Amino acid sequence: ALSGFAGPDITLVPTGGDTWHLGAENGPAGGTAFFSNSTDGRRFWQADGAGSFYLPQNTSCDILRTDGFGKMSCGPANADLGSINLPVTAAKLPATNPCVIDNSENHAKLLCDASTAENAFWQFVAPQDVGATLTVYVTYAMASATTGGVSIDVSVMATSPGDAVEVNTQSFGAVTNCDDGTVPGTAGFLDSITCVLTDVDGLAAGDLVKVDVQREVTDAADTATGDMEWYGVEVRYTRT
């Protein structure tokens, strides 16, 4: 019995290492058990009678994850987000109305017209930890416009190994439309559009994925003149 006990119960002294304590103490929730390092007193975990589990030394811990083998790690709130970079120079261009890859200045970019709905697409294999929520981020500037807004359409096609479909047959999920109502007030200044996808075509780990992004010039929100310059495209996803 450890009633009233306020010190270490078990001391572990490995050869050539620090001394560790497994202990218990009284507390408002029926007592607390803890594991600590006697060298500096840090508690690497503690649990109380109410069923709560703590990592006291990790005061900024937002996400506690396990690796499937019992190892736990602590990270910030965005630790549960994965990211897939879609380089503009790796974009695939459709046969009609493509955005244009431009390498004429310091940074590569895709030029997407203000009068014709132009697009580009990327393909990749979905990571093994991909979740159900995908968000596309487009980092852009305007070639000349300093007023107005822009609009994009994003659609996803996902094909699983074993699907009874011809992989080269286009079959996208529903389009997600996203706007930025106000472009930067200076041409060449960066801004971004955040687009949380409402349809990912049933995407799952291991799928062959195609992401199509189009400047939607027919949308009422797209009023900025001149080319929209895409400098970066990123897909972020929730990890499973």
Side-chain angles (χ1 to χ4, degrees):
L2 296 174
S3 176
F5 184 73
D9 178 48
I10 300 174
T11 299
L12 308 173
V13 189
T15 302
D18 291 340
T19 300
W20 303 88
H21 294 308
L22 179 63
E25 62 189 5
N26 286 333
T32 298
F34 61 87
F35 186 60
S36 67
N37 183 328
S38 65
T39 303
D40 53 21
R42 285 182 299 161
R43 293 189 177 185
F44 285 83
W45 59 257
Q46 69 181 44
D48 62 30
S52 298
F53 184 81
Y54 305 90
L55 297 177
Q57 85 282 13
N58 290 315
T59 56
S60 62
C61 183
D62 296 305
I63 298 292
L64 182 63
R65 296 180 57 85
T66 63
D67 64 357
F69 299 96
K71 179 182 178 181
M72 293 183 293
S73 60
C74 186
N78 62 359
D80 249 16
L81 290 177
S83 176
I84 303 168
N85 182 42
L86 307 178
V88 295
T89 54
K92 308 301 180 184
L93 304 178
T96 58
N97 300 330
C99 296
V100 176
I101 298 176
D102 180 11
N103 289 297
S104 64
E105 297 187 276
N106 289 331
H107 296 285
K109 58 195 172 188
L110 282 163
L111 303 179
C112 304
D113 195 67
S115 58
T116 302
E118 296 178 339
N119 68 302
F121 63 89
W122 293 260
Q123 71 180 45
F124 56 88
V125 174
Q128 292 302 304
D129 61 351
V130 71
T133 301
L134 268 65
T135 304
V136 171
Y137 294 80
V138 176
T139 300
Y140 78 93
M142 300 304 297
S144 57
T146 57
T147 60
V150 287
S151 178
I152 61 171
D153 281 348
V154 182
S155 54
V156 174
M157 174 180 168
T159 307
S160 301
D163 281 354
V165 296
E166 160 54 48
V167 70
N168 290 308
T169 300
Q170 301 275 46
S171 179
F172 284 92
V175 168
T176 302
N177 175 259
C178 297
D179 305 328
D180 186 351
T182 306
V183 301
T186 302
F189 279 28
L190 290 177
D191 203 346
S192 64
I193 295 180
T194 300
C195 198
V196 181
L197 303 187
T198 57
D199 188 335
V200 296
D201 197 34
L203 183 150
D207 282 1
L208 179 65
V209 182
K210 186 175 180 179
V211 175
D212 185 277
V213 185
Q214 174 176 281
R215 181 177 180 184
E216 187 44 78
V217 297
T218 63
D219 191 282
D222 198 290
T223 57
T225 59
D227 283 344
M228 183 183 183
E229 303 173 333
W230 298 350
Y231 286 91
V233 180
E234 178 192 9
V235 176
R236 297 180 193 172
Y237 61 90
T238 54
R239 288 192 173 112
T240 56

